[in-house]
Amino acid sequence: MSNSFLSKLDLAIRYHESIGEQHMAYYLRNQLDVLRNITEHKKDYLVATYYVPGELLELLDVEVVYMERLAGLAAAWRIFDKPVSRAIAKGFPACSCSYQALFDLLIEEEIIPKPAGFVAMSYACSDAWTYCKVAAEKYHVPFYYIDVRKVSGNDQKLYLAKQLEELHQQLKTIFSVKTSIEDIIDASNEAQNIKEEIDVLRYSNPGNILDFFKLFPIYNDLGKKSTMEILKPFKNKLAVDISDDNRNTPKILWLGIVPLYKNSIISDIEKRLECKVVCEEMFDFGGVKLTYDTFYENLAQRIMCSRFFSLESRMEAMFKSVSDFGIKGIIHFSQRNCRFLPPMVPAIRKKVEEKQIPFVEICGDAVDPDFFNEEKAWNQLEYFNEQINGRT
Amino acid sequence: MYLGIDVGSVTTDAVLLNDEKKIIAFSIVKSGFDHRAAIDKVINDICIKAQIVREQIKSVVSTGYGRRNVTEANKVVTEISCHAMGIHFLAPNIRTVIDIGGQDSKVIRISEDGYAETFYMNDKCAAGTGRFLEVMAHAMEIDINDLGAIALTAKKAETISSICTVFAESEVISKIAEGKPKENIIAGIHQAIGERLMGMVAAIGVKMPVALTGGVAKNQGIKKALTKYLGEDIYKPEEPQIVGALGAAVFALDHYLNEINTDKNSESENKK
């Protein structure tokens, strides 16, 4: 296995197997299989942005790589040293999102081959679809676009559903059909049912929420049968591992993503601040199930139910977590150059401070350690701890 | 006596308070490469100035980015809390502090009792810090201590990038090449720092009155630039560099009194 990305993924799978984290091993194996198919077996693949429903693409005989997930994995395993600087040196705009910079680098440095097309949504951010459009032109491959207006209501749902259906029809003319819609619906709904059971276990002890945080991009795999192989052992493990030990430990809410090259920062915070960290739910789509007659509408509705669809829905969910888990303070990790979540910070800070909940914003970059000053972050976190514990 | 020590990236500062909460002495030394040596030096220096021996110091609180190196400390407190408390000690009406240090800058909003309500720190980039001024002074071949006074003589300020120190430096070099007056370029540099800091102020929302602390506060050009943006005069302590150490000294006194009270309480519990 000459590709360092594949080798590191393989190593990670064996590591998770050895420590009894079968769910993580399965999850990573799925990713490894996709990478093998596109690199070693030269299978065509589409690049998709995070909110493009996996069920739609799983219907077709084409591999799918979710851009943010693959960039995240590459960051976690440090496939590149200084990824942003390297991408900029290759002409990537300096003000761009580093996820996209790293993903582009994976293609440019031939870790993965050029894709057969890009499928992008205007939600969550304009940067992602703009990158996909530019990249599609650069690699001379098709670009498929779905316009998501960030307004609620039935008209918007139908508008979005129509576009999803058209996309499906369009892709069917290029790629052969692999699975029936009925099978996809069954797999997706079953996965969501297991997810709901997992949530019951997780919410019974919020200290266990971190486990699922690592798995949240599994949202992209809801239509896959293999997703059950990941969720079932995870649920079983949670049921065995769950304990009440953390019930009385102060809880801190972590908003946003974590530095992927340093995700131990969460456990470090738990140790140093003597707390349990509850991570913001990334996999939160209102539990919308799919039916055959309303397949596209359900997919559209699910996107619109995302907690990040509006500032108000994110704040509502945040304050629900504050009350459900007795949150003592809130940390927001703001991704450098991100135009999606960090712009919400001033409004969140204002509301949180009105309720006299200590709040700290840690700025950095989730995929490139060059843009994260850990020492400064700890300085801020120590002050945050002083605030929580009676100011000094 | 109660000692506060602020181990910063450029200087290590110490302030000594007596039982009446009066400043007895203060000292500022270079932090240099060896923090331990700087800490020893600042303690010796302040003891000489106050004409006391180390044993007379009842409690020590350390702060600043090298605070963990103060082995004498009874307690460690972040500089955010210390700057808030230090400025409250000097001017209790202040509600916002803009602290400009050598490597970082922060804006702290303060409650009526001198505790930090919220804060914002600069990110990894040095724009808006003392380091920014150092780089610019080097590019202009001017002593950093003269920058502020020269800025005040400018007729207009040249536009300089407030986003990035490296961009700003190349802009300064271009302006020099264009033959722009030195004082106008320097005023532009100060304006750029002001813009950067105002971005941080806006992030948490300003409450007036505002104070300026940290070594860079001694620079009159910065004060002028910030005053222009805020539209109100800014309070600058006589010695803005020691505010963090002063706050630490106040916490040292509080810590000592708390310990005494705790001991008294446990004694009376034992007697019962």
Side-chain angles (χ1 to χ4, degrees):
Chain A
M1 203 184 293
S2 59
N3 187 317
S4 66
F5 199 175
L6 271 59
S7 307
K8 286 187 177 177
L9 263 175
D10 187 55
L11 190 64
I13 291 163
R14 285 186 277 134
Y15 166 73
H16 283 289
E17 279 170 346
S18 73
I19 60 168
E21 289 190 345
Q22 209 56 46
H23 58 288
M24 282 305 293
Y26 283 153
Y27 174 70
L28 296 174
R29 188 171 296 287
N30 275 350
Q31 298 307 304
L32 180 61
D33 288 346
V34 172
L35 281 177
R36 276 192 176 135
N37 283 340
I38 66 172
T39 54
E40 293 171 0
H41 307 309
K42 313 287 180 205
K43 202 172 172 195
D44 277 349
Y45 78 98
L46 290 171
V47 175
T49 58
Y50 181 68
Y51 284 96
V52 175
E55 289 93 334
L56 210 57
L57 304 176
E58 183 60 17
L59 287 162
L60 306 161
D61 189 18
V62 61
E63 291 294 348
V64 180
V65 164
Y66 279 90
M67 184 167 66
E68 296 84 358
R69 172 159 62 182
L70 198 66
L73 289 172
W77 279 290
R78 300 194 182 214
I79 301 302
F80 300 113
D81 186 31
K82 298 181 174 292
V84 170
S85 304
R86 280 168 84 150
I88 291 170
K90 287 179 180 290
F92 205 82
C95 58
S96 299
C97 168
S98 47
Y99 275 87
Q100 291 143 29
L102 199 154
F103 182 79
D104 199 63
L105 206 56
L106 288 170
I107 302 177
E108 285 291 310
E109 301 214 353
E110 298 179 353
I111 304 286
I112 55 172
K114 288 172 189 170
F118 287 82
V119 187
M121 271 194 173
S122 63
Y123 175 65
C125 71
S126 297
D127 287 3
W129 77 259
T130 309
Y131 162 70
C132 289
K133 187 172 190 303
V134 172
E137 282 170 17
K138 181 167 74 168
Y139 301 124
H140 309 291
V141 294
F143 170 66
Y144 308 97
Y145 174 71
I146 301 162
D147 177 38
V148 185
R149 295 175 190 154
K150 285 184 80 177
V151 288
S152 52
N154 201 45
D155 288 351
Q156 158 62 10
K157 187 176 78 180
L158 295 175
Y159 171 69
L160 185 51
K162 188 166 176 288
Q163 290 182 81
L164 293 172
E165 187 172 1
E166 283 169 2
L167 172 70
H168 181 206
Q169 300 306 329
Q170 203 177 354
L171 291 173
K172 264 200 312 192
T173 64
I174 302 160
F175 305 104
S176 58
V177 173
K178 183 174 72 180
T179 321
S180 70
I181 291 183
E182 289 90 337
D183 281 350
I184 291 288
I185 289 172
D186 286 347
S188 176
N189 288 346
E190 195 181 337
Q192 288 220 62
N193 287 336
I194 303 172
K195 163 74 167 55
E196 282 168 11
E197 291 167 20
I198 288 171
D199 285 346
V200 170
L201 289 167
R202 289 164 64 229
Y203 294 143
S204 69
N205 190 335
N208 292 298
I209 281 183
L210 179 61
D211 273 341
F212 199 77
F213 190 71
K214 293 175 190 165
L215 267 184
F216 79 83
I218 206 168
Y219 158 69
N220 295 140
D221 301 330
L222 281 181
K224 288 184 177 178
K225 287 204 170 72
S226 57
T227 300
M228 262 80 78
E229 290 171 23
I230 300 164
L231 293 177
K232 278 178 186 167
F234 180 55
K235 188 187 86 177
N236 296 339
K237 188 174 187 302
L238 262 188
V240 172
D241 291 352
I242 209 133
S243 77
D244 276 351
D245 293 353
N246 303 320
R247 194 160 292 281
N248 298 320
T249 312
K251 309 288 185 306
I252 302 295
L253 182 61
W254 178 284
L255 302 180
I257 44 183
V258 295
L260 294 162
Y261 44 83
K262 176 79 188 174
N263 62 23
S264 61
I265 194 164
I266 298 284
S267 48
D268 291 345
I269 289 171
E270 291 185 336
K271 278 182 211 146
R272 281 172 68 167
L273 272 55
E274 295 176 348
C275 65
K276 286 307 284 185
V277 175
V278 177
C279 292
E280 185 171 35
E281 284 288 314
M282 296 289 181
F283 187 118
D284 182 8
F285 301 92
V288 178
K289 301 283 169 55
L290 311 179
T291 67
Y292 186 83
D293 293 338
T294 54
F295 179 59
Y296 302 106
E297 285 175 38
N298 296 147
L299 293 178
Q301 190 186 358
R302 202 172 64 193
I303 294 163
M304 292 166 65
C305 284
S306 147
R307 72 163 53 188
F308 302 108
F309 201 69
S310 70
L311 171 65
E312 291 70 27
S313 58
R314 188 184 188 199
M315 286 226 262
E316 189 184 328
M318 179 186 75
F319 282 118
K320 186 172 184 316
S321 295
V322 167
S323 110
D324 286 353
F325 306 133
I327 295 294
K328 301 289 181 208
I330 299 176
I331 301 167
H332 192 292
F333 183 83
S334 291
Q335 166 73 359
R336 187 184 64 93
N337 285 351
C338 175
R339 281 169 273 266
F340 176 38
L341 298 183
M344 296 180 182
V345 169
I348 292 173
R349 180 195 288 274
K350 188 167 180 283
K351 286 282 176 201
V352 166
E353 285 177 2
E354 276 170 13
K355 294 185 185 294
Q356 298 191 317
I357 301 166
F359 178 87
V360 65
E361 181 186 16
I362 306 289
C363 296
D365 195 299
V367 307
D368 192 332
D370 266 13
F371 297 92
F372 180 52
N373 186 336
E374 195 179 340
E375 185 196 309
K376 189 167 278 184
W378 277 113
N379 199 20
Q380 291 174 278
L381 288 168
E382 277 185 40
Y383 164 69
F384 173 69
N385 200 34
E386 285 175 1
Q387 272 193 310
I388 291 170
N389 296 311
R391 304 196 281 196
T392 69
Chain B
M1 299 288 175
Y2 310 93
L3 180 64
I5 302 178
D6 180 357
V7 187
S9 61
V10 178
T11 63
T12 293
D13 320 317
V15 171
L16 200 63
L17 288 182
N18 67 9
D19 287 314
E20 284 74 47
K21 238 180 173 175
K22 287 215 167 107
I23 299 174
I24 300 303
F26 71 86
S27 173
I28 300 169
V29 303
K30 292 265 183 218
S31 292
F33 179 75
D34 185 349
H35 280 179
R36 231 0 277 182
I39 292 158
D40 280 333
K41 191 175 176 195
V42 87
I43 296 175
N44 285 338
D45 190 43
I46 209 163
C47 286
I48 291 166
K49 282 181 178 169
Q51 296 182 317
I52 61 163
V53 290
R54 279 190 184 211
E55 288 67 30
Q56 284 176 268
I57 299 169
K58 294 174 187 166
S59 174
V60 180
V61 163
S62 65
T63 189
Y65 101 112
R67 59 188 177 273
R68 303 270 171 213
N69 294 318
V70 184
T71 49
E72 296 84 351
N74 301 87
K75 194 177 175 183
V76 173
V77 178
T78 62
E79 60 262 43
I80 297 152
S81 293
C82 287
H83 274 272
M85 190 51 79
I87 205 71
H88 180 75
F89 180 91
L90 295 169
N93 62 326
I94 295 296
R95 290 293 168 268
T96 306
V97 176
I98 301 173
D99 173 60
I100 316 172
Q103 296 292 332
D104 64 29
S105 299
K106 45 195 156 311
V107 178
I108 309 161
R109 223 174 53 217
I110 307 172
S111 66
E112 285 178 10
D113 51 359
Y115 286 92
E117 280 180 347
T118 185
F119 75 103
Y120 194 93
M121 268 175 118
N122 69 314
D123 54 22
K124 202 169 179 178
C125 177
T129 71
R131 179 73 190 138
F132 183 87
L133 276 180
E134 267 179 25
V135 171
M136 298 308 145
H138 182 258
M140 302 283 297
E141 294 181 334
I142 288 171
D143 188 323
I144 189 168
N145 298 313
D146 297 335
L147 281 180
I150 297 172
L152 295 181
T153 65
K155 291 197 173 66
K156 68 169 258 202
E158 291 293 332
T159 305
I160 307 285
S161 167
S162 62
I163 304 301
C164 170
T165 308
V166 180
F167 289 169
E169 188 183 13
S170 68
E171 279 183 16
V172 165
I173 292 165
S174 300
K175 303 275 181 198
I176 295 168
E178 287 168 28
K180 302 284 184 197
K182 180 175 66 180
E183 61 275 16
N184 291 4
I185 300 173
I186 294 171
I189 291 166
H190 288 78
Q191 193 166 288
I193 295 188
E195 279 170 15
R196 181 77 172 196
L197 291 166
M198 286 312 294
M200 290 164 61
V201 169
I204 61 165
V206 68
K207 269 191 196 172
M208 304 301 277
V210 174
L212 194 57
T213 65
V216 179
K218 290 176 179 173
N219 178 316
Q220 283 299 316
I222 296 290
K223 185 170 182 269
K224 187 185 171 192
L226 284 169
T227 305
K228 184 186 134 196
Y229 283 116
L230 285 167
E232 270 189 48
D233 195 23
I234 298 174
Y235 167 73
K236 181 178 74 76
E238 202 173 316
E239 183 41 87
Q241 210 165 344
I242 62 162
V243 174
L246 174 59
V250 175
F251 284 125
L253 173 60
D254 286 351
H255 177 75
Y256 179 76
L257 295 175
N258 284 340
E259 293 284 297
I260 294 281
N261 285 337
T262 310
D263 288 349
K264 275 184 188 164
N265 288 341
S266 51
E267 242 175 60
S268 60
E269 281 296 315
N270 288 342
K271 276 179 191 167
K272 279 179 197 171

